[in-house]
Amino acid sequence: MSHIEASAITNSLAGSGLPLPTQADSDIVIVIAIVRQLCCNRDKIAELMRYSQVVPVWLLCLAAGVTALFVHRSHRLSIGSAAPIRLWLRIALMMTLTACCGCTGSHNPASQTVRSQDTAFQNAGSENFEARFPFHQQTTYFDFRLQSESPKNARTIRLSDNFVDIVKRDFFNADRGYPIRVFICQDEGKFVRFMHRDLEIQDPSDFGIYLFSKKLLATYEDSGLGTFAHEALHPLVEENLPQRPAWAVEGVPTFFEKFYGYWNGGQLVLYWGFQNPWRMRELGPELTQLDLKRIVSENGRPEQSESKLRMAAMFLWEQGKLRRFLRLVAANNRLGYATYFEAAMGMSMGKITPIWQSYLENIERNRAEMLSLPPSTVLRNEAEFQAFVKTHSISLKQIKQIN
């Protein structure tokens, strides 16, 4: 392929009236071919570079070959043979032609790997997938895109702003991160297709997901209010608690995924502090063996299990220290302790550990009762709520435990 390009360049020079290159100048012909390909296909080269995480090896080969060639030709360095140089240049030319022929990987979505939630949206940004969400409603904090005008979506929209206002009032100042774009699919199948086709996420969440780079929350109607609340907390934590420890990135949103409440006219009343049955099942017999020091560590690789992280946040709530923790994080103040967790508790990890262990053992003793808790629910009025609580034997002892 390099000989074809070299011949083309030679013919072009002949037609221009310029002196033809000699046999000794064949390397220069190859360099010209490479440069011409780069200039004529700079869009494709730019596209290739966008999908590269490091400087391409072929560019290094080209640079090395060109440098050695001109050093050799200027007789500043004694090189026994120019054959290796010519080999480098020919390899670089072939790599350039390959890239310019479109082998950048960008035209085959099946061959691409999404590296993170933050980059998943890059290839889909220009697509008008909003057309598949024909219903639109704007609120103070959210921009909803819906596939249907269902009663479930109406309940989520009614909850949304009121929920954020409660978080801002009772937990931490959250004035940044809006509007949050919300895409609610009609069912789980359409949600999965939306993730795969439009956002190019090959392994989406079972219930919902938040993409930080686009302030985009995606879920489906039957995923529940708890899923919406969890995902909606991500931008609030991200934008308003910049000094948060790594465990709190998921630990805090998971706390807010479980609640019960009712509407008092236009006012939303919520109750917190309930274990999430499916997370307890996920922890299984490991529950009483959870290592708090490792879970809330601010050094090294953070804990990946959201169920373990939620247990730490729930422990702070049970101790009446969750709000204190969030305020200390917002103020970037550890009060001289090694971690925000210890600062919130007002004691070292050594003193916290026995309290933590007792907390876990109490959960284990009441496992059966906690596993029967229903999904997060908001009832139409207080009377319905009281009937709901009685029917499901829900203990409200943790009500309004905000310090």
Side-chain angles (χ1 to χ4, degrees), residues 57-69 88-89 92:
V57 174
W58 62 271
L59 280 182
L60 296 178
C61 293
L62 174 61
V66 172
T67 301
L69 171 65
W88 287 347
L89 292 172

Side-chain angles (χ1 to χ4, degrees), residues 23-28 30 64-66 68-75 77-90:
Q23 182 64 33
D25 290 324
S26 61
D27 298 325
I28 296 298
I30 297 174
V66 172
L69 171 65
F70 283 99
V71 170
H72 172 65
R73 291 177 61 82
S74 63
H75 304 292
L77 180 65
S78 176
I79 300 179
S81 173
I85 298 172
R86 293 192 180 97
L87 178 60
W88 287 347
L89 292 172
R90 283 169 169 77

Side-chain angles (χ1 to χ4, degrees), residues 23-204:
Q23 182 64 33
D25 290 324
S26 61
D27 298 325
I28 296 298
V29 173
I30 297 174
V31 172
I32 295 173
I34 295 173
V35 172
R36 190 179 77 166
Q37 284 295 332
L38 291 173
C39 293
C40 294
N41 296 275
R42 54 184 177 272
D43 291 339
K44 289 184 178 180
I45 295 298
E47 185 179 9
L48 172 64
M49 294 297 291
R50 284 198 299 271
Y51 288 94
S52 301
Q53 294 298 303
V54 296
V55 178
V57 174
W58 62 271
L59 280 182
L60 296 178
C61 293
L62 174 61
V66 172
T67 301
L69 171 65
F70 283 99
V71 170
H72 172 65
R73 291 177 61 82
S74 63
H75 304 292
R76 295 176 184 171
L77 180 65
S78 176
I79 300 179
S81 173
I85 298 172
R86 293 192 180 97
L87 178 60
W88 287 347
L89 292 172
R90 283 169 169 77
I91 291 173
L93 176 58
M94 293 178 68
M95 295 294 289
T96 303
L97 291 172
T98 299
C100 293
C101 286
C103 298
T104 63
S106 63
H107 303 293
N108 183 11
S111 69
Q112 298 171 20
T113 300
V114 177
R115 289 181 291 274
S116 70
Q117 292 181 357
D118 288 342
T119 59
F121 209 101
Q122 291 178 354
N123 297 333
S126 61
E127 297 184 18
N128 186 24
F129 56 77
E130 290 185 359
R132 287 190 285 277
F133 295 82
F135 303 101
H136 175 224
Q137 186 164 337
Q138 187 88 31
T139 70
T140 301
Y141 304 118
F142 297 89
D143 181 9
F144 284 94
R145 306 282 174 164
L146 315 169
Q147 290 186 339
S148 71
E149 290 184 311
S150 68
K152 292 179 181 178
N153 285 338
R155 286 194 290 270
T156 299
I157 293 172
R158 187 185 184 194
L159 170 87
S160 60
D161 283 355
N162 290 274
F163 185 90
V164 171
D165 284 335
I166 289 175
V167 172
K168 293 171 64 176
R169 182 193 70 202
D170 294 339
F171 291 93
F172 63 95
N173 185 31
D175 291 331
R176 296 184 296 275
Y178 313 106
I180 303 169
R181 301 173 72 201
V182 181
F183 289 79
I184 303 182
C185 299
Q186 196 166 12
D187 54 47
E188 185 177 5
K190 291 181 179 179
F191 169 68
V192 171
R193 287 194 293 275
F194 177 52
M195 293 290 97
H196 289 173
R197 176 180 56 192
D198 296 311
L199 302 185
E200 298 186 352
I201 298 176
Q202 300 307 311
D203 186 23

